[in-house]
Amino acid sequence: MSNTQNIPQIPPVEDAYKFFNIELNPDGSLTRRTELPTLPASPEPDPNNPNSPLSKDIPLNAAANSFIRLFRPQIPPPNAKLPLLIYFHGGGFVFASAASAPFHASCSRMSAHLPALIASVEYRLAPEHRLPAAYHDAMDAISWARDQAAADSAAAVDPWLEELADFSRVFLMGSSAGGNIVYRTGLSLLDEDVRPMKIVGLIMNQPFFGGVRRTGSELKYYNDRITPLHGADLLWSLALPHGADRAHEYCDPLSGGGPGEERIRRLPVSMVRGYSGDPLVDKQKEFAEMLAARGRRVVAQFVDGGHHAVELFDPKFADDLYDAIRDFVGTCK
């Protein structure tokens, strides 16, 4: 979207440290004074609540301290194999965990709603581990799922996956920074053989992208209570490789350093969802238009109202999102 607005008085990036209640330490690490609460996995059935999905943690890469939090319906549909969604949480690459209460609850509800197996990935955070560290952790998760699909004996497969997973219907899904991870991982997988697993779709919910040029929605909502413009700028400064700015392709998918048309066309069918009250929505629209213009089939859903990460706060928006994902998953073969 072209920018014809006057640029408002945007607070300096330094003020965003106060907004997030964080402090950058001399060694490059971050003190996070306000952490999201976490929830443990719940691997045992609850006889009093048969609709409550189960969850368990599976180690992924000990060197990266990463893991998979796997969710499954407690009582799945009879004689049915379920799609596997490999999920990446939000948090601007700097905050949160697969165990963070909002993302644990969201994955749990989504597992029951679709129904599906949800493999939520614990990836490394910036600035302690700047990009592309999170992308590498995502590829570890893909390798784990591929190895599960290719295992030559039931004993080598996680029992929940052995029982329920349809490895011919695997989706990559992410919200905010996780949506960015989905896109970058989808591009990396163009050069990988993941058979017998088949990744049939990418689901990018409010993907976190930016750029040097300010969009209309960024300027309109520059003082947003969830993602103010100076806050997004700070997150990118902490997440991008040292010396990179927001023109880097990790941040701006429309930059000159991005992939060519031929690679975009080879991506799986993609769902891009956003909300009109999100400062990032114009960039998300540009991203969806770019995918379509380069020959990729895109299901673009831009909803009136809402705000960034609204599904974590409002059950109605959450249910609408899960309905949309269920419909998308049902159309992908």
Side-chain angles (χ1 to χ4, degrees):
M1 178 179 292
S2 62
N3 173 25
T4 59
Q5 305 180 47
N6 293 325
I7 297 178
Q9 187 63 41
I10 299 167
V13 169
E14 290 72 20
D15 285 8
Y17 283 97
K18 297 178 183 178
F19 176 83
F20 290 123
N21 199 18
I22 58 178
E23 182 178 350
L24 188 63
N25 301 315
D27 65 357
S29 66
L30 202 65
T31 297
R32 300 166 176 84
R33 296 191 179 89
T34 307
E35 295 275 16
L36 289 171
T38 59
L39 292 174
S42 303
E44 299 301 324
D46 182 353
N48 298 317
N49 188 2
N51 293 321
S52 177
L54 309 179
S55 58
K56 64 179 174 181
D57 292 339
I58 300 171
L60 185 58
N61 183 327
N65 200 29
S66 58
F67 62 86
I68 300 287
R69 177 157 290 187
L70 184 63
F71 297 81
R72 57 158 289 176
Q74 186 175 157
I75 302 177
N79 305 313
K81 293 288 189 177
L82 303 180
L84 171 64
L85 274 65
I86 301 175
Y87 176 82
F88 304 94
H89 66 78
F93 300 106
V94 172
F95 301 106
S97 160
S100 294
F103 296 110
H104 175 98
S106 182
C107 287
S108 183
R109 290 184 62 194
M110 188 161 46
S111 177
H113 196 103
L114 296 183
L117 289 158
I118 311 290
S120 182
V121 182
E122 177 76 351
Y123 57 85
R124 287 171 290 174
L125 299 179
E128 294 86 354
H129 305 281
R130 290 174 175 267
L131 295 175
Y135 303 149
H136 293 162
D137 296 342
M139 292 299 289
D140 285 344
I142 302 300
S143 297
W144 165 81
R146 179 197 59 207
D147 291 347
Q148 292 285 301
D152 55 9
S153 71
V157 184
D158 179 89
W160 292 3
L161 296 177
E162 171 65 18
E163 176 190 356
L164 294 173
D166 181 352
F167 286 108
S168 70
R169 289 193 298 152
V170 177
F171 295 80
L172 307 186
M173 179 187 170
S175 296
S176 193
N180 178 301
I181 293 172
V182 166
Y183 174 60
R184 299 300 311 182
T185 304
L187 291 171
S188 295
L189 288 172
L190 297 176
D191 301 319
E192 300 291 330
D193 184 357
V194 298
R195 292 177 297 179
M197 183 174 73
K198 184 178 181 183
I199 297 174
V200 295
L202 308 180
I203 302 169
M204 291 165 278
N205 176 45
Q206 306 165 84
F208 183 38
F209 294 120
V212 174
R213 176 184 57 84
R214 304 302 194 185
T215 67
S217 61
E218 286 176 333
L219 296 175
K220 181 178 181 181
Y221 299 111
Y222 76 95
N223 203 26
D224 183 73
R225 65 186 181 91
I226 303 293
T227 50
L229 189 53
H230 67 308
D233 288 352
L234 175 60
L235 294 177
W236 282 120
S237 74
L238 296 172
L240 288 169
H242 286 293
D245 63 16
R246 295 191 309 276
H248 194 283
E249 63 178 300
Y250 293 167
C251 174
D252 188 351
L254 280 69
S255 69
E261 180 175 328
E262 184 272 336
R263 290 183 67 79
I264 296 291
R265 190 182 295 115
R266 291 167 53 202
L267 287 171
V269 58
S270 299
M271 172 179 164
V272 182
R273 188 175 175 92
Y275 298 91
S276 64
D278 183 356
L280 307 179
V281 69
D282 282 353
K283 199 67 179 184
Q284 295 157 4
K285 289 179 178 178
E286 292 177 355
F287 171 67
E289 292 166 359
M290 180 273 290
L291 294 180
R294 297 188 181 184
R296 183 60 272 161
R297 185 162 75 89
V298 180
V299 177
Q301 300 179 347
F302 292 99
V303 180
D304 287 337
H307 54 79
H308 197 70
V310 66
E311 75 280 359
L312 301 180
F313 302 91
D314 188 318
K316 173 62 167 62
F317 278 94
D319 287 342
D320 289 347
L321 171 64
Y322 305 152
D323 285 344
I325 293 169
R326 182 176 58 196
D327 293 344
F328 177 76
V329 167
T331 65
C332 294
K333 304 296 181 185

